[in-house]
Structures are given as structure tokens and as C-alpha cells.
Amino acid sequence: MGGTIGLNVKRKEAWAKVTGQAKYTDDFPTVGHYTARLLVSPYAHAKIISIDKTKALSIKGVKAVITGEDYPNLSGTLLVDRPILANKIVRYAGEPVALAVAVDEAAAALAAAAVEVKYEVLPAVFTPQEALNSTAPLVHEELGAYVHMVEDINPKPRSNISCHFPVRKGNMAEGWRNSRVTIEQEFFLPPSDHLAMEIRTARAEISKDGMVTITTSSQAPFEVKKQIADCFQIPAGNIRVHVPFVGGGFGGKAPVMQELLAYIASREVDGNPVRLVMDRKEDMTAAPSRAGLSARIKLGATKEGLLQAAELTFWLDNGAYTDIGPYMVKAIASDCTGPYRVDNLHCDAYGVYTNHTYATSCRSFAHESLTFCIERAMELLAEKLAMDPLQLRLVNAITPGQYTPTQVQGSFSNLGNLPACISRLQELTNWQESQPMQITADTVRAKGMACFWKAATPPTNAPSGAVVTFNSDGSLNLNTGVVEMGSASQSHLAQMLADKLGVSDDQVHVVMEVDTQLNPVHYKTVASITSYIAGRAVMRAAEDILEQLRKIGSEALGCFPEDVEVKQSRVFARQNPDIYIDFQDIVMGYKDIFGNSIGEPVLGRGTSMFKGLSNLDPKTGKGRTGPAWTVGAQAVEVEMDLKDYTYHIIGAYSVMDVGNLINPESMAGSVRGGMAMGLSMASRESFSYAKQGRGEMTTPSLRSYKAIHVGEEPVYQLDFVETPQLDAPYGMRSMSEHGIIGIPAALANALSKACGVAFNHLPLKPEDLWRTATAAGAGAKAGGSGAEAAPAPAAAASSAAFTAGPGAGFGEGGGIQ
Amino acid sequence: MIPVNFAYCRPCTPEEAVQSYTAYEKAGKKTLYYGGGSEIISMARVGSITPEAVVDLKEIPACCELKEEGSYINMGGALSLRAIADSQCFPLMGKAVGRIADHTNQCRITLGGNLCGTIIYREAVLPLLLTESEVSLQGPEGVRRLPLQKVFDGRMRLLPGEFILKVHVPKKYAQMPYLHVKKAPTEKIDYPAVSLAAIIEKGKLKIAFAGICSYPFRSKEMEAALNDTAMDITQRLNKAVELLPEKPADDVHCSRGYRELLFKNMLGQVLAELSAGSKAGAKS
Ligand SMILES: Cc1cc2nc3c(=O)[nH]c(=O)nc-3n(C[C@H](O)[C@H](O)[C@H](O)COP(=O)(O)OP(=O)(O)OC[C@H]3O[C@@H](n4cnc5c(N)ncnc54)[C@H](O)[C@@H]3O)c2cc1C
């Protein structure tokens, strides 16, 4: 319509960000604020015997020291299982135990450190397997007594199981009977961090008449309001949550944590403004992390490679508290097979408590982990079948008419076109040359690929809304509850609005900050659902505006409302376009030449709510968790040094069906960002915990926790397929998280091929590869790996390494001169 | 944020520095000399040290000197690693310090700070261990100049109140064939799993290591074994592992086993280069 769709429209906040003018939560003046700092538990699991605040309170400038006994209130997104400050028991190293509030940060830090806590150490559990052992210590003794916020989770009292989602389909016996080839393999992914550049922080104050104002770095301002209201029994109307720009969220800022802490801090100092400061270490250890995952995958296929049966078990390491974890387990269950047709399916997905830092959503809601397991398994199956892994995926790719694990019938609209993505990837990667290639005596190049799919798993009634107001120059203000945290979703909404109203993009101003008193409700800025659900609301607001303009226009122009057209910021009758009214003369209401007042100011409103979603059947898993899937195919190319297992990532490829490429550059940017995150996560990121002693995190700083750096990224090559999703605005599919999903698997597949050893664990640090290869034995074809081109790695690791001739590359050193 | 207050002073002469240090200590303040401050600040932030006074050495001209004097190259203790690398006064030194941290931090970390820091690598010492270098130490009793090896046994052994004024490297070593290899566990810029510096003097390999053990070292016994052409390369490598002064380090950055693998690989490359070099030398 307006012609803004498909253009590389600049982000609305581009100038603010590139000039450094954009303001984040802790950038606002701190004058008049007290500061709060945390004391966290050094133990993974311990009883709190006593807490002595005396010394802390005697420090100059200290106003309050708060502990769990002062606020025994529990909070939680799905299951109300988490105290604001640990009370009687600590369940992870890093768990907040005390909060000191003081006139400045230094006094608060000293006071927090001066709180004396006596602990009695309890045995801890660090993996789902340990936690499921019948003799395992319980992370939550009271599991059966917690309040549920949703109806579809079922924690098992007296166990460490927080939820279980089964999926049953077809006839397993028949599936195995029809299988000529089977593989079975276990997989493991450790927890890791979101590592947003902006550390979590929040501010709170309470006015004398009871109005609570929170400013926070959150993806979920409306959820903050709800949880504070629930947790402290305050009317929601007395709570106002303000969210300026957020410096990266990746799901890690969807939970409500720092806001509860800031709130109790302010409450303890008479409602005075308080600024909660967490440092990077606390952001990593105390605040929620990305979940770990363990899995056992068994696949069966005909000798042509057609999948006949899948038996899948997943255990999500949720850490000490559930937060949104059970819904990640639900998401794993509903997409459990990956984007393939599997008629005979038996899947059990569990959420498991451990004494790790609690986990929450992280970019792609566990799909990168699920996909790692499935796509490694597909690779192992391809090897066993001696089949090209790309072909194996192509013949099994789910297509319209077939059914998903939870028995949703596929269509082009809800599935997109995976075969088209695979074929395009084949060209883009020059896949016929995907076999490992010897570069020098010690180096090999190899490519690995993976496919993915993902549907959102929002609450079945997640809401959104949009309000559009006008300015006297005829331009518009778009007002939603969407948080701007780098995904450009606000700008995409503005683009849609401009197009629908036929105005140019620069006529749409976006209200970037969210204030829950002013902005219409939006569930949370998560799950890549903004373009869909907020998009629907924006479309409705635009319809509302058009209707009002037609009505006023018809009166002003003297024609039927249905003849009124709106284009290029003008209103005119179709039959007489030469006589028109400029937006600026009509959007504030029209006044004719005689001074008659016609119509009234235009105000657009639109709301929306998911429709047609359902909970999963507790026995079979049948149900629909999201409106549609986004599918894609990705690949990674590596060059590996077989002497020490170091490698370079030289290329990364992605083809995704986005429905409609409404803004090519910004959408490509999202995909590249996701790929970078996937490469970083898979190649090096992990939270390690001390197995002995206190069970503390051993990688709580950026000196020991490694993330990819500028200069280490490969060349990215992207392409898109566009199969519209019919119920989505402009047919655009969810896509902001998805760049990450297939990358960890593709990297593992490439590395496994390069050295002929199956890598089924993350991370893929050279040292981890070496350990796996060594355990697999010299030249072992672990996991059925049959890459003949790759020389025996273990031999290369010992004496064979020293035959390196001149020019074998001496790192930075250069040869002896 | 560093939650405790501390005094900061920035004297202009070595004598003033020592006087300030002594005066603070006398007044009961825990005092540290301050180079680039990168370690002092990060440790103070997490509360593992709580200095009450720091004496910054960067305003002292002698500490920032970089020049040739007689048969020596003098490097001030407060010179930044980047300044040393950019000067190209001693290529091996340039390589070794040019691989410590990233460019931004190299502009800040000082030679004295690297040699005296608590972080176990102290990679700037490697070239100094190979070259009969000397150090000038300024202390309450004045300056003493002595061979580095006398005060370095894995870490600097300074007397109370002393700081590194200068390092002196004999010029002749700047001309010798050298090699520097550093491998970090995952990334190019990181703490070393193993880092080594080597020179060839009169056909003999001299070599020093950091990262592999909990302190940097040069071992005469290991050098003798590595130069012993009666053994083949594999034997020499195995011998070198046996002669490590302690078991390879085993920590969150890198495991013992992987360090050992890298150590052998890297040393293997050194020996291969060495024999290739001597063959080439024999031909010409
Ligand atoms: C990001 C990063 C990466 C790093 N990577 C490496 C690496 O790869 N390899 C490596 O070897 N190191 C590495 N380091 C460690 C670094 O070299 C040491 O921390 C070093 O101590 C910092 O030097 P500085 O001048 O900033 O020291 P400061 O913080 O100023 O001082 C450190 C210590 O040295 C003492 N000191 C300083 N100057 C003198 C002097 N002239 N005489 C006597 N004592 C003195 C101080 O009293 C203090 O005890 C890294 C550090 C950082 C921040």
C-alpha cells in the first residue's frame, strides 16, 4: 500500500544509539537515590543457621540490611517457588541472601560484605542425572505446596522433577519394525549465560500515598507489575513500571528479580528512591542463566533414510527455581522431532531442579539445545546409512499435510517451506564439496549443517495492544507495550503502520520507552512474537484510524465513507483525487471554510490476543502451542588443526523462511546476531561449577567465561525464503531469535566430520575435543563416524605431530631467524 | 567500584617514591607501588586486596626510559608493554609482550607490573631469562643493580619498599635468532596455556616457559636435554616433560593434560625448526 514494506528502513532509535544518547536504566541521575547491594550465597546448597546484621548496620551510611526472614514472600512466573532473598535455605551459589541499603554504593557494598551468615552445608545436585537419582537430596522439600500460576504444569512432590510433558503418537512397535537402521545417543549441553552488555539493574520508590514506581532493565514491564502486585498484595493500579532502552535481553530479562529486590529495599527506607546495583559477577551467578539440557535420542529409519520411529527423552537443567523453565520443557516437547515427519513418536520432556543458578528463557527458548541433540542424531544416522546428511534431511523434511509431534496439521502457512531452505543452502554452501578436505599435513576443512524449526509457546491468551495518536503536522505516534532491546521490532511495527496508512515511514514516531501507566498492555517482549501479536494490534489500530478518517472525510468532502481514500498523508474521494485534505488538517478534527466543526480528533486503538492455541493433552501431548513455525537450514565451515584440536570458523550460512522480508538489512542483522551467539555459545561458553567444596560457579567473570570476540567471527552468508504466514501481518514470520538455533549443531557436525570423532557435548573448546577424541581412542570411529578423509586424531596428538615440516605455521612466532 | 578509600600519590623521582612508600607504611597504611593499575584495580574491586595507599611510578622519568646505554638496552619499569613492542628495540621482547592481553590493555600494563604481578604468567620475563638481563631496583637503601636471575625464582623477590626502576638487556641478544610461541586454550588473545620464548646462541637452544607451570621458568637441565642430539626428538620431548619443575598447571582456564599436549606440540615445533635451521645452516 504505502510501499514501505521490503525497504531497508532505518531503525527508529538508530541515531540515539550510535551517538550514545540512548538512555538505559542506570544512566539516569542518581541524585537522591540510596544504593542497594547484595550478599550472595557462597554455597550451592546449605541451611542458613544464623544471620548477624550487627556489624553491617554499624557501617556509616547504612540505612537497612534486609534478609529473607524480613520478606518470606515467594514469587514465580509459572510456579511460585522462589524467595526474594533466601530464607532458611540456599539452593544455589550466588543466591541473594541479604540486601544492604546505604547512602552510597561503597557503604552498601561494605555492609553487604559485613553481614555474617552461618551455614550448614547440604549435599548438592549438579546434573539432571544426579538430581533424578532416588537418593538425591531434594532441592525443594516443599515442592507439593507451591502455588501454581498456570494449570498445565505438574511438579512431582518429593522429587526434583518440576514438570513432565509427554508426547505420544503412532505405534512404536511398528516404527521399530519398519526401521532398518537405528541410532541411539546421549547428548549434553551445560548451562551458560545470556551475557547482555547491560547488566541487570532496577530502581524503586514508593510515594507517600502508596504509588510504587519501578524503573528497570526488563523485557516484561507488565509482568513486573503483576508479580509485584501478587507477591506483596498491592493493587496493580498502584504500581507503575518504567522501562527505557534495554541493553540486550536475550530472554534473560524476562524474569522478575531485580525489581522485587529494589522494591523491598525502597520499602525498608521509607519509600525513598533506591538504585539496585549488581556487578557482572552477580549478573552471571545470582541472576538467571541459560538452561542446560541432557537428552537421549533414539531414531529409526528405513534404508532409504525415511524416519520411522523416534524415542526421545529430554531433561532440562532448570537450576534452583523454575521461572519459565516448565514452558521451555513444553516447547521442547512440542517441537521434539525437529522439522521432520515422524509418525511413531514417544517423547518425554522433564524439567529438573538442580543446585545451579536458576535458568530462564534464552534466545530461542531451548530450541538451540533441542536442535543440537536432534541434528547431531540426524548426522549420526546419515553416517550409519552412508547417506549425504543434506539428503537425509531433505527426504524427511516436514511438508504441508503432514502432522507435527503434537498433531497439528501442517500447511504452507503454518510451516513455511523447509525443502526450499535446504535446497538454497545446498547452493549457497557449495554442498557437493562438503566432504572433509585436507589442507596441510595437519589441517582439515569441513562443513556441517543443521535444520531447525521453532514455534512460539506463549500463554494461550497472551495479549498486546497499540495506540496511535497524531501530531499537528499530521505525523503519528505509535505507542505499544513493546520494549526496545535491539531487535528492531518497534521499527518493524512502525514500517507496517506506515504502509497500512499509506504514509511515508518518517511520518511515524515511535514511543520507545514503556510506561505501564501509559502504554497498552503487551505480554512480554519475548518469543519473537512481536511482529505477530503486536503487529496484529497495530493493524487493528490502523483500521480504526482509516475508519475514522473515512467518516470525517466523507462529511468534509461530501461523499460516501466507502469512497474515501487515504494515501500519502492525504484524504480524498476516489472519484475526485484533485480535491484532498492533508492529514494535518483532518487528524485533529476538520474545520471547513465556514468555521464548522466536523468530526473530532483521530485516535487509533487496536488490541489483540492469541487465538486457537491450546494446552497440550497431558497423555498424548496433542495440542497447539503457537500459531506457526519458522523453519531454516544452516551450515558452518571450519578449518581444524588435528594436532591440538584448535580450529577457525571460516564460514557460516543461513537460509530461513521469514514469510516476508519486510526489512532485508535489519532482518539479516538479527539473523547474523543469532548466528554469532550460537557460534560463541557452542564453541566456548559454559558455566562450570566446582564439583567439590562449595559448589560455586568457577567461571563467574569474563576472564574465565569466554565469549566470541570481534575479529573471531566468520563470513556470514544468508538468504531467505518467503512463504507467507497467512494470519500474520504482511505474512511475516517470527524470526528475531532464530539465527542461533541450528548453529551449535552445525558447528558440532563440522568438527565431528573434520576429525572423525563424534562430538555430542557442548562446549566445543579445543580442549574438550581433545578429551573426547582421546577417550574415543586412537583413530576410533566413535559414534559410527566414518569420515575416511580425516586422519586418526589421537595419533596426530602424540608423536605424529612432530613431523610438521617447515611452513607448518608457527602461530605468531615466525620461524627461527 | 572499589568500596574503600585509599591514598594516591604520583612522585617525580625514584627517591620521592621510596620516601612516600616508607612514610605511608610508617603511618600504618598498606602500600603498593602502582604501575598500570590493571591488577591492583581488579583485585581491589573484588576485595582480594585492600591497599590503603598507592604510589604511582609513571611520572618518574627513569621509570619510563627506553634507550641504549653502552652494551645494554635500558627499559624503565613503568613503560607500557605496547611502548616496548612498538619501539622494536628487542624483537623477541616485542613479540612476547605484544601477545599479553589486547592492545588496549597493553597500553596500560607496565613492564614492572607484569613482572611483579600476582597473575601467574608474567610473560615479559621470558626474554629476560634467556639474555643474562639485569635489573635496577630502587629501595630505601638506594639503587642496586644485579642479574635478574638473582631476584627472580618464578616471581620477583624484592626487599620491602623496593621497586623495579629499570631492566637492562645486553644488546648482543637482540641480534640472535629467536622464536616466540604462545597458545591460549580457546582464543588468540587470552592467558596462555603455554607460552615459550627461545633463542639460539652459538647453535644451542635456550628456552623459557610460562603458563605450563604455576610460574615462569628457564631450566638448564631441560635445555641440556633438548640440545642433546644423541636422543631423537620424541625422546627429548618426553625428557622435557619429565624435567618440568612441577606438574603442569590444572585450572579453570586449561586442564593439565591439554597443557601437556600443547607443551609437547609446541616444543616439537621448536625442535623441528631448530633442526631445519641447522640443516640449512650446514648447507650454506
Ligand atoms: C585483560 C588482561 C589480560 C592479561 N593477559 C595476560 C597475559 O596474557 N599474560 C600475562 O603475563 N599477563 C596477563 N595479564 C596480567 C597483567 O600482565 C598483570 O596483571 C600485570 O600485573 C598488570 O600490570 P600493571 O602495570 O597494570 O600492574 P599494577 O596493577 O599496577 O600492579 C601489579 C602489581 O605489581 C606491582 N608493581 C607494579 N609496578 C611495579 C614496579 N615497577 N616495581 C615493583 N612492583 C611493581 C604492584 O605493586 C602490584 O602488586 C593480563 C591482564 C589483563 C587485565
Side-chain angles (χ1 to χ4, degrees):
Chain A
M1 271 160 275
T4 56
I5 294 299
L7 302 182
N8 287 324
V9 172
K10 232 182 8 233
R11 282 174 185 230
K12 292 291 177 186
E13 80 282 20
W15 278 106
K17 287 194 175 160
V18 299
T19 58
Q21 280 182 333
K23 289 251 188 309
Y24 300 81
T25 297
D26 211 33
D27 289 341
F28 293 94
T30 55
V31 184
H33 282 72
Y34 291 138
T35 303
R37 297 261 350 216
L38 288 169
L39 172 75
V40 302
S41 165
Y43 296 103
H45 199 191
K47 265 193 201 137
I48 298 175
I49 303 299
S50 66
I51 302 186
D52 187 351
K53 310 177 182 180
T54 328
K55 217 188 254 168
L57 283 168
S58 72
I59 288 170
K60 197 166 158 244
V62 173
K63 296 291 170 188
V65 175
I66 315 168
T67 64
E69 280 195 348
D70 302 325
Y71 288 94
N73 321 36
L74 297 180
S75 73
T77 302
L78 304 175
L79 187 67
V80 182
D81 62 357
R82 195 180 87 236
I84 303 166
L85 291 165
N87 191 8
K88 298 194 180 72
I89 189 157
V90 290
R91 298 187 174 92
Y92 67 96
E95 178 162 9
V97 170
L99 186 61
V101 192
V103 291
D104 60 22
E105 189 185 342
L110 291 174
V115 176
E116 291 172 315
V117 188
K118 284 213 183 75
Y119 297 96
E120 180 189 316
V121 179
L122 298 171
V125 286
F126 289 112
T127 62
Q129 272 54 43
E130 283 170 31
L132 293 172
N133 198 312
S134 58
T135 59
L138 295 180
V139 181
H140 291 265
E141 294 278 351
E142 308 292 309
L143 187 53
Y146 293 139
V147 172
H148 292 217
M149 299 305 289
V150 291
E151 60 286 343
D152 62 342
I153 54 170
N154 49 351
K156 205 168 140 206
R158 309 300 307 160
S159 83
N160 287 317
I161 295 177
S162 65
C163 67
H164 172 207
F165 287 93
V167 184
R168 306 281 185 269
K169 220 174 81 168
N171 179 332
M172 293 309 290
E174 191 184 314
W176 295 128
R177 222 174 13 253
N178 294 340
S179 299
R180 283 287 158 278
V181 178
T182 60
I183 60 112
E184 185 168 3
Q185 181 63 48
E186 297 196 354
F187 299 91
F188 174 79
L189 299 91
S192 64
D193 201 22
H194 304 83
L195 215 67
M197 222 189 296
E198 182 202 22
I199 292 169
R200 294 167 179 90
T201 182
R203 295 181 182 190
E205 60 183 287
I206 309 165
S207 70
K208 294 296 171 211
D209 59 358
M211 192 69 199
V212 179
T213 304
I214 306 280
T215 302
T216 175
S217 168
S218 170
Q219 296 173 241
F222 296 91
E223 179 74 12
V224 171
K225 179 157 87 169
K226 178 172 175 297
Q227 285 201 25
I228 291 181
D230 289 350
C231 192
F232 299 100
Q233 303 293 305
I234 306 170
N238 284 12
I239 303 164
R240 174 180 190 178
V241 182
H242 169 222
V243 175
F245 282 121
V246 170
F250 311 111
K253 290 175 181 166
V256 181
M257 176 185 191
Q258 64 267 29
E259 300 84 359
L260 298 170
L261 292 164
Y263 170 74
I264 58 171
S266 174
R267 197 157 139 167
E268 286 298 301
V269 294
D270 234 7
N272 274 298
V274 176
R275 158 185 182 237
L276 173 75
V277 173
M278 292 170 68
D279 60 17
R280 177 62 71 182
K281 182 174 174 183
E282 289 166 351
D283 195 67
M284 296 175 87
T285 57
S289 62
R290 186 188 137 265
L293 186 72
S294 303
R296 189 183 304 128
I297 306 287
K298 191 174 171 195
L299 299 178
T302 63
K303 64 181 192 316
E304 293 76 29
L306 287 172
L307 289 170
Q308 297 301 311
E311 192 177 313
L312 317 169
T313 317
F314 298 94
W315 297 275
L316 185 99
D317 175 356
N318 210 152
Y321 300 103
T322 48
D323 194 63
I324 199 77
Y327 274 9
M328 289 198 277
V329 176
K330 176 164 133 180
I332 288 175
S334 37
D335 288 346
C336 62
T337 54
Y340 306 113
R341 172 187 180 168
V342 182
D343 292 338
N344 305 304
L345 172 64
H346 183 109
C347 167
D348 290 294
Y350 299 93
V352 184
Y353 283 116
T354 64
N355 294 107
H356 283 155
T357 297
Y358 72 105
T360 188
S361 48
C362 183
R363 194 171 192 157
S364 91
F365 214 53
H367 280 71
E368 79 299 334
S369 303
L370 156 70
T371 304
F372 177 79
C373 305
I374 292 295
E375 293 295 309
R376 277 297 300 140
M378 288 296 277
E379 199 75 11
L380 296 173
L381 185 63
E383 279 175 25
K384 203 156 179 187
L385 286 159
M387 188 170 172
D388 178 72
L390 186 139
Q391 284 305 322
L392 178 68
R393 288 167 171 100
L394 198 55
V395 299
N396 286 293
I398 187 164
T399 49
Q402 299 172 352
Y403 288 85
T404 73
T406 66
Q407 304 179 44
V408 176
Q409 190 174 24
S411 65
F412 275 115
S413 173
N414 70 15
L415 277 183
N417 192 341
L418 180 61
C421 294
I422 298 176
S423 303
R424 185 68 192 105
L425 186 78
Q426 186 168 18
E427 296 163 9
L428 207 60
T429 54
N430 199 10
W431 189 257
Q432 57 277 20
E433 288 176 15
S434 69
Q435 280 310 307
M437 197 161 61
Q438 198 83 28
I439 302 297
T440 69
D442 300 316
T443 53
V444 170
R445 266 188 198 191
K447 289 178 195 144
M449 71 166 292
C451 295
F452 68 83
W453 70 345
K454 176 181 186 288
T457 317
T460 51
N461 64 344
S464 189
V467 173
V468 180
T469 59
F470 282 90
N471 302 304
S472 56
D473 62 353
S475 64
L476 307 83
N477 306 306
L478 172 61
N479 202 323
T480 64
V482 174
V483 170
E484 181 48 63
M485 52 183 180
S487 59
S489 48
Q490 296 266 37
S491 304
H492 291 166
L493 294 175
Q495 227 178 322
M496 291 178 182
L497 179 65
D499 192 85
K500 179 84 179 168
L501 291 180
V503 304
S504 74
D505 169 72
D506 59 7
Q507 291 298 297
V508 181
H509 304 281
V510 172
V511 179
M512 285 288 169
E513 302 197 349
V514 176
D515 179 335
T516 56
Q517 247 184 358
L518 302 173
N519 300 66
V521 67
H522 177 69
Y523 165 59
K524 299 174 186 174
T525 307
V526 295
S528 311
I529 53 175
T530 301
S531 64
Y532 181 81
I533 195 70
R536 294 289 309 227
V538 168
M539 289 296 99
R540 286 182 155 195
E543 287 291 356
D544 189 26
I545 288 166
L546 289 172
E547 198 174 308
Q548 293 170 48
L549 287 175
R550 283 193 205 107
K551 181 161 175 288
I552 310 171
S554 69
E555 287 174 33
L557 295 162
C559 64
F560 291 111
E562 53 272 33
D563 285 344
V564 174
E565 287 225 4
V566 179
K567 252 187 206 151
Q568 288 166 338
S569 296
R570 287 171 178 175
V571 178
F572 54 90
R574 185 175 306 134
Q575 59 274 32
N576 198 359
D578 290 342
I579 298 175
Y580 58 83
I581 308 172
D582 280 323
F583 260 27
Q584 63 192 37
D585 297 323
I586 192 167
V587 294
M588 295 298 183
Y590 189 68
K591 189 171 83 174
D592 71 10
I593 47 171
F594 309 108
N596 293 317
S597 154
I598 296 173
E600 49 279 310
V602 177
L603 176 73
R605 60 163 277 270
T607 56
S608 61
M609 190 150 107
F610 277 97
K611 296 288 173 213
L613 306 187
S614 60
N615 291 340
L616 299 182
D617 181 277
K619 292 216 167 55
T620 63
K622 185 171 183 199
R624 180 194 282 267
T625 61
W629 283 262
T630 301
V631 295
Q634 298 180 303
V636 172
E637 183 172 15
V638 295
E639 185 172 312
M640 187 171 191
D641 183 332
L642 298 168
K643 288 198 316 300
D644 57 15
Y645 301 89
T646 54
Y647 57 91
H648 291 288
I649 301 164
I650 49 185
Y653 307 81
S654 196
V655 182
M656 199 188 293
D657 190 343
V658 295
N660 184 351
L661 200 55
I662 69 162
N663 188 329
E665 258 314 307
S666 92
M667 290 165 76
S670 289
V671 176
R672 280 193 292 267
M675 294 167 78
M677 231 171 137
L679 290 172
S680 183
M681 181 197 125
S683 66
R684 65 204 77 185
E685 292 186 48
S686 79
F687 275 153
S688 309
Y689 289 82
K691 291 273 174 288
Q692 260 108 46
R694 299 169 155 187
E696 77 280 11
M697 193 187 283
T698 54
T699 49
S701 89
L702 294 178
R703 287 210 191 182
S704 46
Y705 184 96
K706 296 292 160 195
I708 206 163
H709 287 126
V710 172
E712 292 181 306
E713 288 176 72
V715 175
Y716 296 108
Q717 292 198 54
L718 312 185
D719 206 351
F720 295 94
V721 170
E722 297 178 86
T723 312
Q725 179 186 335
L726 301 178
D727 56 333
Y730 292 94
M732 181 187 170
R733 293 173 186 280
S734 292
M735 51 76 58
S736 8
E737 299 164 283
H738 300 58
I740 192 175
I741 303 177
I743 293 293
L747 177 63
N749 287 340
L751 292 170
S752 298
K753 263 197 208 166
C755 69
V757 177
F759 298 121
N760 299 321
H761 292 199
L762 290 186
L764 300 161
K765 287 198 276 199
E767 172 169 359
D768 304 313
L769 305 183
W770 162 73
R771 197 171 297 117
T772 306
T774 310
K781 298 194 171 176
S785 176
E788 298 88 25
S798 56
S799 59
F802 308 116
T803 57
F810 235 30
E812 281 296 280
I816 287 188
Q817 302 165 3
Chain B
M1 193 212 42
I2 299 173
V4 291
N5 292 329
F6 57 89
Y8 171 89
C9 85
R10 192 167 178 149
C12 296
T13 67
E15 295 76 18
E16 272 172 30
V18 170
Q19 278 159 17
S20 308
Y21 183 97
T22 318
Y24 283 132
E25 283 279 326
K26 231 189 200 143
K29 290 187 192 297
K30 268 183 282 172
T31 309
L32 286 175
Y33 287 115
Y34 186 98
S38 56
E39 184 170 309
I40 293 177
I41 290 174
S42 43
M43 289 175 72
R45 243 181 35 211
V46 296
S48 46
I49 57 169
T50 48
E52 293 166 292
V54 299
V55 179
D56 192 337
L57 304 174
K58 293 194 293 296
E59 207 64 43
I60 302 170
C63 266
C64 301
E65 175 179 303
L66 179 61
K67 68 172 187 210
E68 295 188 5
E69 195 175 62
S71 55
Y72 289 92
I73 307 164
N74 291 351
M75 299 179 196
L79 275 179
S80 78
L81 301 183
R82 189 49 15 220
I84 294 172
D86 286 346
S87 75
Q88 300 180 342
C89 63
F90 176 14
L92 174 57
M93 188 76 178
K95 287 266 193 242
V97 302
R99 284 294 307 278
I100 294 172
D102 56 12
H103 188 277
T104 308
N105 280 295
Q106 284 165 13
C107 293
R108 180 160 174 209
I109 297 171
T110 62
L111 176 58
N114 181 268
L115 295 176
C116 299
T118 47
I119 292 173
I120 64 169
Y121 311 108
R122 304 178 196 111
E123 289 181 81
V125 84
L126 301 182
L128 306 180
L129 290 176
L130 303 175
T131 54
E132 324 301 333
S133 289
E134 297 168 15
V135 279
S136 287
L137 305 173
Q138 173 81 47
E141 314 296 324
V143 181
R144 51 180 187 136
R145 176 167 171 164
L146 67 175
L148 176 84
Q149 309 256 22
K150 283 249 154 49
V151 281
F152 189 88
D153 64 348
R155 59 188 308 158
M156 291 296 295
R157 300 291 171 190
L158 303 184
L159 300 174
E162 261 185 346
F163 66 88
I164 298 180
L165 190 62
K166 291 179 204 177
V167 170
H168 314 274
V169 184
K171 258 177 11 194
K172 61 173 184 185
Y173 287 102
Q175 318 305 326
M176 292 181 191
Y178 70 91
L179 183 67
H180 174 261
V181 195
K182 171 170 177 172
K183 278 261 185 189
T186 16
E187 300 170 352
K188 183 172 167 198
I189 297 172
D190 200 354
Y191 293 147
V194 181
S195 168
L196 65 83
I199 57 173
I200 310 274
E201 187 177 8
K202 302 194 187 102
K204 293 282 181 216
L205 177 70
K206 296 165 84 179
I207 190 161
F209 302 91
I212 178 75
C213 295
S214 66
Y215 51 86
F217 68 91
R218 175 182 168 200
S219 151
K220 295 270 160 71
E221 294 76 32
M222 196 190 286
E223 280 177 9
L226 292 171
N227 283 308
D228 182 357
T229 45
M231 294 192 282
D232 69 18
I233 285 187
T234 312
Q235 287 169 324
R236 281 188 259 170
L237 289 171
N238 290 335
K239 192 77 192 164
V241 173
E242 266 173 44
L243 289 171
L244 283 171
E246 61 175 24
K247 279 191 183 157
D250 192 12
D251 56 30
V252 63
H253 301 290
C254 190
S255 71
R256 175 165 296 151
Y258 191 62
R259 271 187 219 267
E260 193 174 313
L261 170 80
L262 292 180
F263 176 76
K264 280 181 148 187
N265 278 353
M266 289 160 66
L267 207 47
Q269 285 180 319
V270 172
L271 295 183
E273 289 281 338
L274 184 65
S275 65
S278 60
K279 270 179 221 143
K283 262 183 236 148
S284 61

